[in-house]
Amino acid sequence: MIKVSDIARKKIVDMMNDDGFDAAKDYVRVGVKSGGCSGLSYELKFDKQIGEDDKIFEDNNVKIAVEKKSFLYLAGTILEYSGGLNGKGFVFNNPNANRTCGCGESFSL
């Protein structure tokens, strides 16, 4: 399961509306790909469809789609949003990550 903080939910809904998506029926797609300074990096985008290999979750009124291969890396992650002058945008608090890079966009197990 992936959790979504209240601040991240508000930002997701606002961004989905701005991009022509409907938070009530469309998905936030969360994934992991090879790359980044720590070996693996996070992917985050909006999607209107789900695939047959997707795991679907809903937390805090946000529908989340994760491909099964990425789910093993993301189980238990909390998606947060850090704004303001020193904010980084979306932040993945991933209990599976042994090491993260300074920007927080990549990790290793």
Side-chain angles (χ1 to χ4, degrees):
M1 174 127 205
I2 297 174
K3 300 235 176 235
V4 180
S5 73
D6 290 337
I7 295 170
R9 178 190 51 78
K10 181 177 179 353
K11 190 66 174 176
I12 287 169
V13 170
D14 290 346
M15 290 177 73
M16 287 182 97
N17 289 335
D18 290 347
D19 289 353
F21 290 87
D22 181 355
K25 63 180 180 177
D26 296 327
Y27 299 87
V28 174
R29 182 167 294 283
V30 182
V32 172
K33 66 178 181 177
S34 295
C37 52
S38 293
L40 297 169
S41 62
Y42 297 106
E43 292 184 300
L44 189 64
K45 64 182 181 178
F46 304 132
D47 204 337
K48 292 182 180 282
Q49 299 177 352
I50 56 172
E52 62 182 52
D53 289 333
D54 288 339
K55 287 188 164 278
I56 305 301
F57 304 97
E58 186 168 342
D59 185 63
N60 210 354
N61 294 319
V62 174
K63 295 176 193 261
I64 303 164
V66 181
E67 284 185 317
K68 286 181 184 175
K69 64 181 180 177
S70 291
F71 178 71
L72 296 173
Y73 299 107
L74 296 169
T77 296
I78 300 171
L79 181 60
E80 299 192 44
Y81 186 82
S82 176
L85 293 176
N86 293 325
K88 300 183 202 177
F90 288 101
V91 177
F92 294 84
N93 287 325
N94 186 343
N96 304 302
N98 289 331
R99 188 181 80 210
T100 60
C101 66
C103 66
E105 293 180 11
S106 69
F107 68 102
S108 66
L109 300 176

